[in-house]
Amino acid sequence: MATAETATSSPDTGGDDRRLRRHMGPVALLFAGLGSIIGSGWLFGALTSAQIAGPAAVLSWAIGAVMIMLIALVYAELGSALPLAGGVVRYPHLAFGSFASFTSGWITWVAAATVAPIEVEGALQYATKYAPFTSAHKLSGTAEPVHTLTSLGYPVAVAGLALFVVINYFGIRWFARINNVVVWWKLAIICLVIVAFLFTTFHGANFTSHEFLPTGWHGVFSAIANGGIVFSYLGFRQGVELAGESSNPRRNVPLAVLGSVGIAAVIYIGLQVAFLGAVQPGDLNKGWGSLSFANDFGPLAAIATIIGLGWLATLLYIDAVISPADTGLIFTTVTARISYAMGRNENAPSALARTTNRGVPFISLLVAFVVGLIVLLPFPSWQQLVGFITSATVLSFGSGPLVLSALRRQLPDMERPFRLPGGDLIAFLAFLSSNLIVFWAGWDVNWKLFVAVLLGFVMLAVFRAFNRGESAPLDWRSGAVWVLPWLAGLALISYLGNYPAKSEGAGNTGLITLGWGILVILVFSAVIFTIAIRVRLVPDSVRRRIEEASTESAEEEQTLQAGPA
């Protein structure tokens, strides 16, 4: 445990997070990432991505892994140098000020707060085999029906969200203990599915019988954003968000961030290959886009039943409750830490940053619970929300690469236990990847996201109107100068783009096609990157912000030692 002297002498101690418990070791932090990654995404993503891209979904998983790894590399450096709880929100505050951090925090919070309820809904969709927890509705243009909660499913889902709050209330140590056990189970099940599918039945002709690229490269990139692929990788962030509660963040954060993405990539690509080969050729008569399984509530369990592995189907139905529930638990933890970070940044109510004597931001937990109840109402199901959460999350990650390059100029001598090579190259590629994924998510997803962003700005204005003199300065020059053009530009490019295809009636113009879209996003990203670096906060301001956080650590260390474990 860091002493008060250590906390005040080094900027990377994350001093203001001494209110939180540092009970997470390397395995616990790695498993927090893996546990979040392996949620409902693997239960549905193999089918959804195959419907969009066909056998080329294997390429989608590989490309998605590379893009997310670029973003993860950025946060591995930031997380090890500045281990702050809610780091995705806190880092923009250090480099660009309050407006940038609020924007990033709001988008991150919206994305994270919706994950726990849809993970619960995903679990109950599989569990509908045994009780009517969800009901299916057929939507035009989709092969698989969408599922919404029934009068029985809603109270069960509410109880699940409440259980997440209770576990979190008892502190990060209980969370880590439960999560470590569950992740071993999840890894075992997913590996068992891969091996069973590959060695029981494998139809190699499936990869070419209806073309390897049935929807072209357009489908490959669309699947990355909308097929549950990036959604399935996004759990790497937990190594950053929980850095303030790690026993040795300098070592543990890079291990957790990079290790979770690397392990997940190998597993997911293997699962997609096994799934594609296990599909019965007769089920492909109408092509990959129309692939569906009658009278079943989960695609992997359906295939296990079809190929005669009833025991595996049973395990999958059990795991379909455990895996999403564990991810929901993790995201409840993380959503509360994001609220905590926004409260510490003084661009959200300070009550969100209050912690119990167990080091738990309880008010933030309650807010996450209430929002979860709203999301559980009969809104679009898992399949329909994946694109929104993916787009929102990678958009929030987009500020990280800018922060990394800015901090290297603001504080070049700051200790960085993990340092990326190549100067700004990886940071720019990570920023480009984030913008491309948002573009590929399509206008029908993105217009909802940008409306949510506007709502956040309205809430910021209201908050500041009622907290005059108590809120931190917005730092307009260092934040709004690049944040507003970035968001507005992405919205315009998405509207002019052809994701989804113009014929699908999403309201976009379809003027910017695949190749031109990549070029436009490349130039646009370079412009925003350059502007952001030029308007960054001056070094003295950054040092002062870090020193203020470090000064608080000496006072809070006593609270940490006195409170119950």
Side-chain angles (χ1 to χ4, degrees), residues 157 234 382:
L234 293 178
W382 189 94

Side-chain angles (χ1 to χ4, degrees), residues 476-561:
W476 283 103
R477 182 186 177 278
S478 58
V481 169
W482 64 269
V483 169
L484 295 180
W486 175 41
L487 298 176
L490 277 179
L492 178 60
I493 295 170
S494 180
Y495 173 68
L496 296 176
N498 68 337
Y499 284 86
K502 182 71 168 62
S503 60
E504 296 177 23
N508 53 314
T509 67
L511 293 177
I512 302 178
T513 56
L514 172 62
W516 283 108
I518 294 176
L519 179 60
V520 169
I521 292 292
L522 174 64
V523 174
F524 172 73
S525 299
V527 171
I528 299 299
F529 194 95
T530 301
I531 294 173
I533 298 305
R534 288 186 177 180
V535 301
R536 66 189 184 273
L537 290 173
V538 297
D540 286 345
S541 178
V542 179
R543 292 192 186 96
R544 184 175 66 252
R545 291 163 191 260
I546 295 177
E547 287 171 1
E548 287 172 355
S550 299
T551 300
E552 294 174 355
S553 67
E555 301 172 0
E556 294 173 351
E557 184 71 20
Q558 186 175 0
T559 302
L560 173 64
Q561 294 172 346

Side-chain angles (χ1 to χ4, degrees), residues 391-425:
S391 191
T393 306
V394 297
L395 188 63
S396 71
F397 286 153
S399 63
L402 303 178
V403 171
L404 177 67
S405 292
L407 283 177
R408 285 188 173 185
R409 291 164 171 82
Q410 293 159 325
L411 301 176
D413 298 326
M414 183 176 70
E415 183 180 358
R416 291 171 171 84
F418 176 84
R419 186 182 181 92
L420 286 178
D424 290 333
L425 178 60

Side-chain angles (χ1 to χ4, degrees), residues 12-22 24 29 78-79 82-94 172 237-246 249 253 333-345 353 355 359 361:
D12 66 345
T13 57
D16 60 334
D17 298 305
R18 292 296 189 257
R19 295 180 179 182
L20 300 171
R21 297 295 177 192
R22 292 186 177 273
M24 300 194 75
L29 206 60
L78 290 174
L82 296 163
L84 305 172
V88 174
V89 179
R90 303 295 293 280
Y91 301 143
H93 188 72
L94 297 177
I172 199 69
R237 66 184 295 164
Q238 300 352 321
V240 177
E241 302 291 8
L242 300 175
E245 291 157 273
S246 174
V253 172
T333 304
V334 168
T335 303
R337 269 58 183 178
I338 295 170
S339 301
Y340 171 90
M342 294 180 72
R344 300 298 296 165
N345 286 344
T355 57

Side-chain angles (χ1 to χ4, degrees), residues 420-484:
L420 286 178
D424 290 333
L425 178 60
I426 292 179
F428 176 73
L429 291 176
F431 185 60
L432 173 64
S433 296
S434 174
N435 292 336
L436 282 172
I437 293 169
V438 172
F439 175 63
W440 293 334
W443 178 245
D444 58 338
V445 168
N446 288 335
W447 76 263
K448 304 180 185 70
L449 171 60
F450 291 114
V451 167
V453 172
L454 289 175
L455 176 62
F457 290 151
V458 172
M459 294 178 64
L460 175 62
V462 172
F463 167 71
R464 294 185 67 84
F466 284 93
N467 290 271
R468 293 186 180 276
E470 299 180 11
S471 303
L474 281 178
D475 304 300
W476 283 103
R477 182 186 177 278
S478 58
V481 169
W482 64 269
V483 169
L484 295 180

Side-chain angles (χ1 to χ4, degrees), residues 318-336:
I318 295 172
D319 184 70
V321 174
I322 295 176
S323 284
D326 181 56
T327 300
L329 170 63
I330 294 170
F331 268 92
T332 299
T333 304
V334 168
T335 303

